[in-house]
Amino acid sequence: MTDRTPLVIDTDPGIDDALAVLLALASPEVDLRLVTTVHGNVELAQVTENALRVLHLAGRSDVPVAAGARASLIHPQPERAGHVHGAAGLGGVELPPSPAAVDPRPAVVALAELLLSSPEPVTVAAIGPLTNIALLLAVSPDAAARIGRLVVMGGSAGRGGNVTAAAEFNIWSDPEAAQAVFTSGLPTVLVGLDVTLPTVLTVEGIARFAAAGPVGRSAAAILQQYVDHARDAYGTAGVVVHDALALTEAIVPGTLGTVRRDVVVDTTLGAGRGQTLVDRRSVSAAGTAVEVAEHVDPAAAVEFLVSRLARLDLA
Ligand code: BDR
Ligand code: CA
């Protein structure tokens, strides 16, 4: 037995995914047992390689990495996000290769085995498209039922989308998978644009962990392209690291104020495809409802991230 919560991160690194993995490794409340990868920001082979390298950067190449779905469940994802994250996903930074190899098991098998063998409930943080989680539900519902908490970065209740007018990237990348997950009854917290967009990591915050040592410096280098993009595109001196906020809620439950809502996903092929339709008319008691994050203290969340990342170099 351990008092650290077992954690799995399902991810598509991705600049903010890399930050989220580093945040988990810097946090004593959780024990990162497995990283599973999914198509998303860039192609599966590249995000899998990135996951290995980010773990190695933090001296944790012992954490297994299992590769998951290379494509969405039904309709191919129309476009990736290399223009935001860099063609190779880590903002143009080439991290040293890891000595570890990819776990031979498919992600869904590795995840099911971990869930079925863990004596404690496992938290799963899903910070890419939800294809792997939907496949787990279909292939091994007994294992899925053992998820203690599923914390998803995705969607938007009232902020519109960030990849189309209606849709947030992770949901838009596989709407059918998201719909299956949100209506499954899994104990899900949805961390969407409503709370991530106000949570801005400033260049001063980045400078604090960059000064802490080589890991912080690499994290800051990975972020630089994001910072440049935000400055050129929006004139802002900071970045939104969506996935790191979802990890904060996974690490410290209750960081975000949530309300139980019914959520469905637009799976039509029209302009609304990928939109999360969050029913805000009332609080739902239904077993299939999702805890939707509606309140955040941005300054506290950013301070948590910066101070934790600065600690990585002390380990
Ligand atoms: C989400 O989309 C991806 O590009 C990010 O990594 C994050 O998971 C934000 O919409
Ligand atoms: Ca992501």
Side-chain angles (χ1 to χ4, degrees):
M1 278 295 265
T2 163
D3 53 2
R4 304 176 73 190
T5 304
L7 174 70
V8 177
I9 302 180
D10 185 59
T11 179
D12 61 333
I15 292 175
D16 56 333
D17 300 79
L19 266 271
V21 169
L22 293 175
L23 175 61
L25 294 176
S27 296
E29 298 87 347
V30 292
D31 179 14
L32 183 59
R33 300 264 178 90
L34 172 68
V35 170
T36 52
T37 58
V38 63
H39 71 97
N41 285 320
V42 291
E43 302 295 330
L44 181 71
Q46 185 68 60
V47 297
T48 304
E49 180 61 28
N50 292 348
L52 287 167
R53 290 185 184 215
V54 170
L55 290 166
H56 178 51
L57 169 70
R60 291 300 310 275
S61 46
D62 58 298
V63 177
V65 174
R70 65 188 61 251
S72 320
L73 289 183
I74 297 173
H75 298 285
Q77 182 183 354
E79 142 195 358
R80 304 212 177 265
H83 56 294
V84 179
H85 296 266
L90 294 181
V93 173
E94 185 159 356
L95 296 175
S98 170
V102 181
D103 191 296
R105 298 169 296 173
V108 173
V109 174
L111 184 51
E113 286 182 2
L114 179 70
L115 289 165
L116 292 171
S117 65
S118 174
E120 302 111 9
V122 177
T123 295
V124 177
I127 54 176
L130 286 165
T131 319
N132 288 342
I133 310 301
L135 288 171
L136 178 77
L137 280 162
V139 170
S140 187
D142 292 354
R146 310 250 330 224
I147 294 178
R149 289 176 86 222
L150 174 67
V151 181
V152 172
M153 191 282 129
S156 165
R159 287 260 190 168
N162 63 353
V163 64
T164 70
E168 179 281 329
F169 180 83
N170 288 341
I171 308 301
W172 173 82
S173 298
D174 196 344
E176 286 79 12
Q179 168 70 359
V181 172
F182 296 156
T183 54
S184 68
L186 286 183
T188 302
V189 181
L190 189 57
V191 180
L193 299 180
D194 311 273
V195 288
T196 64
L197 289 179
T199 307
V200 177
L201 172 59
T202 61
V203 288
E204 290 78 19
I206 296 170
R208 269 174 61 201
F209 57 77
V215 182
R217 213 162 34 244
S218 292
I222 290 169
L223 277 164
Q224 191 57 49
Q225 169 155 337
Y226 231 28
V227 173
D228 294 344
H229 176 74
R231 193 195 46 240
D232 298 347
Y234 314 112
T236 53
V239 285
V240 173
V241 283
H242 309 270
D243 294 339
L245 185 65
L247 255 294
T248 302
E249 174 61 29
I251 293 162
V252 183
T255 294
L256 303 173
T258 64
V259 183
R260 231 176 149 66
R261 308 280 194 198
D262 291 311
V263 179
V264 294
V265 179
D266 185 331
T267 54
T268 65
L269 297 176
R273 180 165 174 79
Q275 181 175 13
T276 44
L277 297 158
V278 177
D279 191 344
R280 296 204 286 181
R281 290 171 301 174
S282 62
V283 176
S284 175
T288 55
V290 166
E291 294 284 344
V292 178
E294 296 188 356
H295 305 284
V296 61
D297 177 343
V302 169
E303 179 56 31
F304 181 84
L305 173 65
V306 169
S307 57
R308 289 286 167 105
L309 290 182
R311 266 194 212 175
L312 272 173
D313 281 293
L314 303 175

